[in-house]
């Protein structure tokens, strides 16, 4: 089969876009929310050079089976803080993704109203039979991001 499906997911967050962008790009923050329920990011695997051409890396680990690991190695092909980043990524350990064929991840951060942010994720190409699963996984991760942002806002007294 040919990988030819692009997944698009959107979510609006009750936080300024600079804050949401930072949650995506700062290693210590990304490690707090990335991963679907039942997964976590191994904190010591997270790294990132926040610039055009910069490399980034993280590993997600299945909670119930720590031997199940999915690694992401990417290079920023566009990087405009706090508006958008695009990354060419090789993903290892995911049975639905060829680790030798890079996926493109585009994440856009749009200011909505006074302090909200619309995040739009565009990623692919995927094989048709795994695309919907990855869309569902992104939805779950964005729920975790919303929870993380709400918690950090409360802690900061906002």
């Amino acid at each position: 089969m040919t990988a030819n499906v692009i997944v698009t997911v959107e979510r609006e967050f009750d936080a300024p876009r600079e804050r949401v962008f930072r949650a995506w790009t700062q290693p210590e923050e990304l490690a707090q929310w990335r991963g679907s329920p039942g997964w976590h990011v191994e904190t010591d695997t997270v790294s990132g050079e926040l610039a055009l051409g910069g490399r980034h890396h993280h590993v997600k680990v299945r909670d119930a089976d720590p031997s199940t690991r999915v690694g992401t190695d990417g290079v920023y092909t566009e990087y405009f803080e706090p508006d958008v980043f695009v990354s060419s990524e090789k993903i290892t350990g995911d049975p639905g993704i060829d680790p030798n064929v890079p996926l493109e991840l585009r994440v856009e951060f749009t200011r909505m109203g006074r302090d909200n942010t619309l995040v739009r994720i565009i990623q692919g190409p995927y094989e048709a039979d795994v695309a919907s699963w990855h869309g569902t996984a992104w939805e779950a991760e964005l729920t975790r991001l919303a929870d993380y942002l709400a918690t950090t806002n409360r802690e900061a007294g906002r």
Side-chain angles (χ1 to χ4, degrees):
M1 289 208 289
T2 301
N4 63 357
V5 177
I6 302 297
V7 170
T8 303
V9 178
E10 294 181 340
R11 176 82 55 96
E12 189 169 336
F13 296 91
D14 182 19
R17 72 185 173 142
E18 292 81 2
R19 175 73 192 97
V20 180
F21 191 91
R22 194 170 57 246
W24 274 87
T25 56
Q26 295 297 318
E28 64 278 4
E29 292 202 49
L30 182 128
Q32 299 302 309
W33 65 270
R34 281 299 306 267
S36 297
W39 291 78
H40 68 276
V41 170
E42 204 168 57
T43 305
D44 64 348
T45 69
V46 183
S47 64
E49 301 168 53
L50 305 180
L52 180 64
R55 296 189 173 281
H56 59 93
H57 173 79
H58 70 273
V59 175
K60 292 185 228 176
V61 179
R62 179 171 280 175
D63 297 339
D65 177 10
S67 68
T68 302
R69 304 165 60 83
V70 176
T72 299
D73 289 290
V75 176
Y76 292 116
T77 59
E78 290 181 43
Y79 191 90
F80 298 99
E81 185 175 344
D83 300 307
V84 64
F85 67 80
V86 178
S87 176
S88 177
E89 301 182 334
K90 289 194 176 181
I91 300 178
T92 56
D94 186 320
I97 298 176
D98 183 339
N100 298 308
V101 178
L103 294 175
E104 182 176 276
L105 171 64
R106 178 181 184 86
V107 184
E108 301 170 353
F109 303 82
T110 304
R111 182 178 177 177
M112 304 293 288
R114 180 164 278 173
D115 280 324
N116 284 6
T117 303
L118 175 69
V119 171
R120 176 178 295 121
I121 299 167
I122 305 164
Q123 188 176 40
Y126 288 104
E127 299 281 346
D129 59 338
V130 298
S132 67
W133 181 88
H134 284 277
T136 300
W138 273 121
E139 290 285 354
E141 288 196 40
L142 292 179
T143 297
R144 287 182 75 170
L145 175 57
D147 294 344
Y148 171 72
L149 291 168
T151 299
T152 58
N153 282 346
R154 280 192 300 279
E155 290 170 357
R158 295 183 202 151

